[in-house]
Amino acid sequence: MGNDYPVPDMNDVELVEVLRALADPIRLDIVKVLADGEPHPKSATDWGFDVQKSTLAHHFKTLRESGITRTIVDGRTHAIQLRRVELDDRFPGLIAALTAG
């Protein structure tokens, strides 16, 4: 994976930053979709949110910079993936609680 989209080391990820990032309803919805642990395409049409592409990109960037997600680059295709295993190790039960229901 290239350094185009760096993520913080999970040991440096703070719970307050994770919760701040997820306080936005769209970002929480994104994490609910990503909770399956699979990479999802970053193309705006796949998400169904009524926001500009730039707004969606900002949400993706906020999630990545807070340590919640990683960006996977495969040629010209970019996907976003929840750092589920790492987050579950660092904050047991958090993602399950946030994505329940």
Side-chain angles (χ1 to χ4, degrees):
M1 188 167 69
N3 291 16
D4 294 346
Y5 299 97
V7 295
D9 186 287
M10 193 53 68
N11 292 323
D12 297 330
V13 174
E14 297 296 334
L15 182 59
V16 67
E17 293 302 323
V18 170
L19 294 175
R20 185 175 291 132
L22 295 178
D24 183 285
I26 289 181
R27 290 196 286 267
L28 183 57
D29 284 346
I30 290 169
V31 168
K32 286 178 180 178
V33 170
L34 297 176
D36 63 7
E38 298 299 315
H40 290 260
K42 287 176 80 174
S43 52
T45 53
D46 294 344
W47 289 88
F49 297 120
D50 187 22
V51 296
Q52 296 290 325
K53 185 177 178 183
S54 60
T55 302
L56 191 59
H58 170 74
H59 287 311
F60 288 152
K61 182 176 187 227
T62 301
L63 289 169
R64 178 176 51 79
E65 290 181 344
S66 64
I68 298 168
T69 63
R70 70 171 55 85
T71 297
I72 300 164
V73 180
D74 181 18
R76 291 175 53 96
T77 307
H78 291 194
I80 183 171
Q81 183 177 30
L82 187 67
R83 296 172 71 186
R84 181 75 193 244
V85 172
E86 295 167 276
L87 286 164
D88 285 346
D89 286 347
R90 179 111 166 99
F91 309 112
L94 176 68
I95 299 301
L98 291 171
T99 58

